[in-house]
Amino acid sequence: MIKTNPVRDVLDRVEAGSVAGLVAFLQSLDDDGRRAVARHLPAHLGERRRAGIEAERRIWELAPLYRVAGAFCMGGAEQVAAWLNRQEFRWVEPKADAAQVMSVLADRPVEWRRDLAVRLVRRMRPAPAGSAWRRAQSLRNWDLAAALVVETGVEPPESDAFVSGWMVRTVERQWMSRGKPVLADDPLLDHMVPRLFRAAGVAGALGSWTPAWEDGRSIVGELAELARAGRVPRATLLNGCAGRLLAGGDAAEAGPFVRLWRELRPEVAEIPVTDFVRLLPSASSPVVELALEELRRAESAGALGDELFAEAIEALAYRPEKKSLAAAVKWIAAAPAPRGGRAVAALAPVLDADPPSLRERAVRVAVKLAPHADGPGREAIREAATRLPAALRERVAAAFGPVEEAPQEPEPVPVPAVTPLPALQPPIASVAELAAELDRSLWPEDPARFERILAALVALAHQDRAALVAGLQPWWRTHWRHPFEASTYVYGISGFDEDICFLLSRCALALVSPADSRALTALLADESRRRPSFEPAPQRFVQQRFREVLALFERGGTIPVLLSTPTSPTGHVDAATLVERVERLGDTEPLACDFLQALLRLPRRIDPGPVAWAERLRSAAGRRLAARLRDGGPADPVVTWDPADPVVTGEPFGGPEAPHRPLRGTHVRLAPPEGVSGWQAELWTLTPGADYPGYSRHLVWWPAVMPSHREAVAAHVAECLPMVLEYSIDGQVEAVAALAHGDGPTGIATAGVLVLGMGHRLPAQRDWAADAVITLAARGELPAADLGRAVGRLVRGGQVKLNRVAGALDEVAAAGAHAETWAALARAIPLLLPRPGEKARAGLGELLKVAARAAARAGARGEVPGLVELAARKGSSVLVHEARRLHEVISG
């Protein structure tokens, strides 16, 4: 009889990929065989993981079978729980996996399965913030644990992750059933309902996945229906909601519980009045709105005493939101005068608030309540009134007694400062250091890091190619498929011929395995002919620089040094360093794009020393470099921005159709001077299409392509940035901040990208643009007039939102660039003021406020066309008030 090896047999069946075949074999094992498999599985998995990325991918594919084998063969519940929680198994399909594992656990004793259920629940961790998909993926053992809890009847331990997982699965079931009831027959409902209000992560599941079906049903609505039917205790839901709202949290956390409270429609007697008053100072906005509604209901029923009323008004008045201040004024104005008089002190903070119309209303209410105010209340109003404008201050004084104007303390005026770029890392000096750097993730793309790695590949390959190839073997085995299949990288993974991180990896592959690299390049070239690149010229140039190094390595060649590796964080190459590099090349011909990139990275001002040194070089590259250093580069490219556009010509906009201009209104044009050809001509040419802007995910590379021609870079960025303003694309506006640190003229293109950046949806991206404006102002290089024209053009054209730009410019002025901010806004405001019959655009009042502050700090005087007419309008809107204020400032 042939003796079999149970471990080998189990692993063979795992590799075969059939769960049914594996289970049938496992059930034939005796106890010794099961123990042998249990002992070997963890070690086998560790060895396989160390075999490289392809072996790890295979583990992910076979994870359901590994989980079944371990669950069947391992003895203790803790051992099985640890096995099922291994990170290698995180990509299984949870529901199918639960059914498979449950099938092999059926013969275990009930107490053992209860123990496993409890251990699985305790090992769960709260789902990460983000999409519902991420939450669902994080709960890979929830379905198994839930099945064990239901089957064995065990009480699940306290676990936020288990509760939030139940909510994710419940909402998912309702979604799949298109809104039909799913809770009433849920076997976990009675366990889960009391815990819903204590567990973290529940609100995220409800907020992201709860649909509103035609009949209005949602999980929140279904809970309320179950309470009305007596299936779920109503008091449990009401008390749970109140407790969760009192616990705090942001609007997203509170939102589902606010909705549930409203669905339950509590009676006045069920409202926790004191608790709702006490949460007003710090609760999120939706909770404050709910509390205010319920307190007004309680007040109508006589359930809100005078002290709690005064406390509630004061809490609202000290909140930062304008709508809370308005609610406080409205509430106290509607109260009987004696009751309102006891709370009049709460109006004091409103007297310092914006907008002016709210201040004026607060003054009117305070004056009305003055006869009913007590001493402390009167004193609080008089003190706050010292900071009011003269007219309002006099009205308060007439009702509350004399009010002195508060002394105006001089405001410190900062000076704009340049935020330095991060320093460059020293060159990579050894094979081990290079291998470690390649082994790190290459995402997100960092141009300075990639330039450093590429330079090291070239230099170390030239020094000792064999040693470099040997040192990169572990990296090669880990990061590339074995056996190598070029088609996988062409058809299975996109971007291998365009993304710089992949091109950099391919450069290293070309050193270690040139034949594999050549096969991949040939297949990618064939695919590229069928699907040409739509990347703009700067990115195609960056790609070509990496491809020419790749081609050098594939043909077995090396060169001593790359010429274009930056010596400055801006991307510049020091002239003396470049001369030394060309000297090291000797008679070796430099790589064409590398040499052009090096010339484009030269500073605009060259000291005499490198010029004289270059004159002594005898190679063709040396003579070309010497001529470039001696004579200077070609003239700058010509940048224009649609000369027929009324913003550029200075003519007024016409008609209400102006905000709906086609997207071509944002395009900048770029033309090279006579005599420029080749790649440099491509880089200095931009002729936008008639319909839509360009697009690239890689703008962060471009400032360092032409660091001495930032207006040309800005033209390319301006062509692509409009497409990403409403999306969270990493690094896009960061390119604008990097561009500001470059050199060369700045004009309408630079101004355009600054405004586009300040109009980004994400505050962090707008901060990059504001930092760029501050940097240029600190260096005396901000094109303020062009910036104002760009604000007018892009806001009028609907490409950016005015409120975003106003907020960013306020930061710029606060950082000390008030004179530059005013100079820009003095050009922008006439283009944005409403004409007769035209509605003022949202955010214009805020922009005028920024302009007034900047003008006051700058001591500006003068006239703004159209401002006098706007300031003369009747009314007390923010727009009219700020127009009057700006007019007063610049009129002296």
Side-chain angles (χ1 to χ4, degrees), residues 54 105 146 163 173 284 367 467 518 562 576 599 663 698 702 769 776 790:
E54 291 304 317
L105 296 179
V163 179
R173 282 192 293 123
S284 63
V367 169
R518 286 191 293 269
L562 280 182
L599 297 179
L663 285 174
H698 309 288
W702 300 359
L776 289 168

Side-chain angles (χ1 to χ4, degrees), residues 33 64 74 90 179 198 293 358 373 396 404 438 463 465 483 591 606 613 624 639 686 709 728 740 773 844:
M74 294 177 179
R90 63 186 179 275
R198 303 191 297 268
E293 293 170 12
L358 183 59
V396 173
E404 298 292 333
L438 281 170
Q463 290 172 19
R465 182 166 183 155
L591 301 176
I606 307 295
W613 186 0
R624 183 180 169 192
V639 180
L686 182 60
H709 299 88
S728 53
V773 178
L844 183 55

Side-chain angles (χ1 to χ4, degrees), residues 322 725-726 755-763 766-767 791 794-796 798-811 825 832 840-850 853:
K322 292 176 183 177
L725 295 187
E726 298 302 319
V755 177
L756 289 168
M758 290 189 287
H760 199 285
R761 181 177 66 87
L762 298 179
R766 296 199 292 272
D767 288 345
V791 170
L794 294 172
V795 172
R796 275 269 178 188
Q799 279 78 36
V800 295
K801 295 182 178 180
L802 183 54
N803 61 331
R804 296 176 184 172
V805 176
L809 287 175
D810 198 23
E811 292 181 23
L825 291 181
L832 297 173
R841 62 191 66 252
L844 183 55
E846 289 299 313
L847 188 75
L848 294 181
K849 182 191 297 185
V850 174
R853 280 200 288 259

Side-chain angles (χ1 to χ4, degrees), residues 167-216:
M167 183 52 64
V168 168
R169 290 289 184 256
T170 301
V171 173
E172 185 184 36
R173 282 192 293 123
Q174 190 190 60
W175 180 271
M176 297 300 293
S177 69
R178 299 198 60 78
K180 294 179 181 178
V182 295
L183 284 176
D185 299 326
D186 191 310
L188 292 174
L189 179 67
D190 295 329
H191 289 304
M192 296 295 104
V193 166
R195 306 182 190 194
L196 281 178
F197 307 99
R198 303 191 297 268
V202 170
L206 277 174
S208 294
W209 275 22
T210 299
W213 301 102
E214 291 180 4
D215 60 2

Side-chain angles (χ1 to χ4, degrees), residues 277-564:
V277 170
R278 301 286 155 74
L279 62 73
L280 288 175
S282 58
S284 63
S285 184
V287 176
V288 170
E289 291 177 13
L290 173 68
L292 185 56
E293 293 170 12
E294 298 298 76
L295 291 173
R296 295 297 296 267
R297 280 209 300 140
E299 182 184 39
S300 299
L304 183 68
D306 288 349
E307 289 186 7
L308 284 176
F309 169 76
E311 184 179 341
I313 294 291
E314 184 176 13
L316 287 171
Y318 276 99
R319 287 186 62 87
E321 309 96 346
K322 292 176 183 177
K323 63 182 178 180
S324 294
L325 303 184
V329 175
K330 182 178 180 181
W331 193 3
I332 195 172
R339 181 179 175 91
R342 295 187 187 97
V344 75
L347 292 173
V350 186
L351 300 186
D352 286 318
D354 276 331
S357 57
L358 183 59
R359 282 203 306 269
E360 292 175 11
R361 186 175 183 194
V363 167
R364 288 198 303 271
V365 174
V367 169
K368 184 185 80 169
L369 298 176
H372 305 279
D374 57 15
R378 298 177 69 86
E379 185 58 33
I381 294 296
R382 290 176 64 243
E383 192 282 327
T386 63
R387 297 178 292 278
L388 286 172
L392 294 180
R393 192 167 63 246
E394 290 168 5
R395 291 172 59 186
V396 173
F400 286 85
V403 178
E404 298 292 333
E405 182 180 6
Q408 298 292 320
E409 296 185 6
E411 204 177 336
V413 179
V415 175
V418 175
T419 303
L421 294 172
L424 295 180
Q425 295 293 310
I428 294 172
S430 69
V431 172
E433 187 182 0
L434 175 59
E437 196 64 41
L438 281 170
D439 216 30
R440 288 173 49 206
S441 172
L442 296 177
W443 188 262
E445 292 184 358
D446 177 354
R449 180 184 170 215
F450 282 23
E451 295 276 11
R452 181 170 176 258
I453 294 173
L454 188 67
L457 283 169
V458 169
L460 294 174
H462 188 73
Q463 290 172 19
D464 190 338
R465 182 166 183 155
L468 179 57
V469 170
L472 294 182
Q473 290 294 312
W475 168 83
W476 177 53
R477 287 193 298 270
T478 301
H479 292 274
W480 293 88
R481 285 180 178 269
H482 299 281
F484 185 84
E485 294 181 18
S487 60
T488 301
Y489 300 98
V490 177
Y491 308 117
I493 306 173
S494 64
F496 260 82
D497 200 39
E498 291 200 348
D499 288 1
I500 305 302
C501 60
F502 292 139
L503 287 171
L504 181 61
S505 292
R506 286 177 58 200
C507 288
L509 174 68
L511 280 168
V512 179
S513 183
D516 289 342
S517 180
R518 286 191 293 269
L520 177 57
T521 296
L523 204 55
L524 285 168
D526 184 57
E527 184 67 13
S528 295
R529 282 190 287 272
R530 290 198 298 270
R531 294 189 303 173
S533 173
F534 292 100
E535 284 285 354
Q539 193 60 27
R540 286 188 282 109
F541 181 65
V542 174
Q543 293 167 350
Q544 187 58 30
R545 283 187 50 231
F546 281 76
R547 289 193 190 111
E548 67 182 8
V549 173
L550 172 62
L552 173 73
F553 291 157
E554 283 182 347
R555 62 177 180 264
T558 66
I559 56 174
V561 64
L562 280 182
L563 302 181
S564 64

